[in-house]
Amino acid sequence: GAGVSQTPSNKVTEKGKYVELRCDPISGHTALYWYRQSLGQGPEFLIYFQGTGAADDSGLPNDRFFAVRPEGSVSTLKIQRTERGDSAVYLCASSLSGGADTQYFGPGTRLTVL
Amino acid sequence: AQRVTQPEKLLSVFKGAPVELKCNYSYSGSPELFWYVQYSRQRLQLLLRHISRESIKGFTADLNKGETSFHLKKPFAQEEDSAMYYCALLGAGSYQLTFGKGTKLSVIP
């Protein structure tokens, strides 16, 4: 079946602009995760959804970052007033029901802030 | 705080030689450990997890709680093993993976 998909694959924006990154999880997966991977680093946790609610947003770096999952499927990560330091690959993952279930990753969105 | 350390940024081995990718972790409880792999131009994918005790593509990893290590091993490297390898930890009762910085494995023909 189809894996996790993310759009766009690449996004170039200017400092101060607003961006939205989209994630389509595997059908039937209730748990959804966002991670951020900076150059030379491993992925770092941002936020975890169980169904429609954000169960843990402790990894969001500041209040410019926000994510939603209104119908318990597709999720959107929103970044306001982008800064050059936000440049990274943003990864989405989903798992069947959370906990220790295997997390399946999407291809990522490469965000470049000029 | 939990932490995963992969001391080698790059590891080059000849085809047919043994491979060992090192992973050490810091965690106060009983974690679950994973190895993820990313082949060129592909997404991150699970290679193996310690709880399943499987051998995937000839790779094995044993959790050593005394040394807090979870090294990935393969007796004979193949060219198609060239990839980026990430060790990751899941804390007890948690859901967020903590990743190491990754090791790039290059298998020389």
Side-chain angles (χ1 to χ4, degrees):
Chain A
V4 177
S5 62
Q6 293 185 245
T7 54
S9 54
N10 277 286
K11 176 70 178 178
V12 180
T13 190
E14 292 179 344
K15 180 175 177 297
K17 299 288 189 185
Y18 168 83
V19 297
E20 289 189 351
L21 312 179
R22 176 188 166 109
C23 171
D24 272 278
I26 294 172
S27 178
H29 281 194
T30 63
L32 185 146
Y33 315 77
W34 284 99
Y35 292 82
R36 178 168 73 171
Q37 186 171 20
S38 301
L39 196 61
Q41 305 293 316
E44 294 177 315
F45 170 79
L46 294 177
I47 186 169
Y48 160 63
F49 285 90
Q50 182 57 255
T52 60
D56 183 354
D57 64 358
S58 62
L60 295 178
N62 51 60
D63 61 6
R64 294 186 299 104
F65 288 75
F66 189 70
V68 295
R69 195 185 184 199
E71 296 177 359
S73 177
V74 170
S75 176
T76 305
L77 178 65
K78 308 180 181 198
I79 311 174
Q80 298 177 317
R81 304 183 305 280
T82 51
E83 299 177 356
R84 292 198 180 89
D86 299 336
S87 296
V89 176
Y90 288 81
L91 296 169
C92 177
S94 71
S95 70
L96 189 59
S97 55
D101 291 343
T102 297
Q103 296 184 27
Y104 296 90
F105 283 81
T109 293
R110 182 177 297 278
L111 175 66
T112 303
V113 182
L114 301 176
Chain B
Q2 54 200 52
R3 189 169 64 244
V4 174
T5 303
Q6 294 180 249
E8 303 134 332
K9 235 179 172 177
L10 174 64
L11 182 65
S12 296
V13 300
F14 285 101
K15 178 181 170 182
V19 174
E20 183 179 51
L21 299 167
K22 290 185 168 47
C23 172
N24 288 88
Y25 67 90
S26 172
Y27 183 71
S28 56
S30 290
E32 186 161 356
L33 275 297
F34 303 79
W35 277 99
Y36 276 80
V37 61
Q38 187 167 27
Y39 300 102
S40 180
R41 287 185 288 279
Q42 293 188 27
R43 65 186 65 193
L44 201 59
Q45 59 185 283
L46 179 67
L47 180 62
L48 54 81
R49 53 196 297 174
H50 91 270
I51 201 167
S52 59
R53 303 187 67 82
E54 293 174 301
S55 172
I56 305 293
K57 299 184 179 182
F59 284 97
T60 59
D62 289 317
L63 180 60
N64 186 322
K65 292 186 178 180
E67 295 183 359
T68 59
S69 69
F70 187 58
H71 303 329
L72 184 68
K73 299 177 184 179
K74 184 169 183 176
F76 308 105
Q78 299 173 341
E79 288 178 66
E80 55 263 34
D81 296 329
S82 294
M84 198 73 189
Y85 291 80
Y86 294 94
C87 183
L89 177 155
L90 188 70
S94 181
Y95 38 75
Q96 52 171 284
L97 291 167
T98 298
F99 286 86
K101 292 186 178 183
T103 297
K104 183 174 182 179
L105 174 65
S106 178
V107 180
I108 305 163

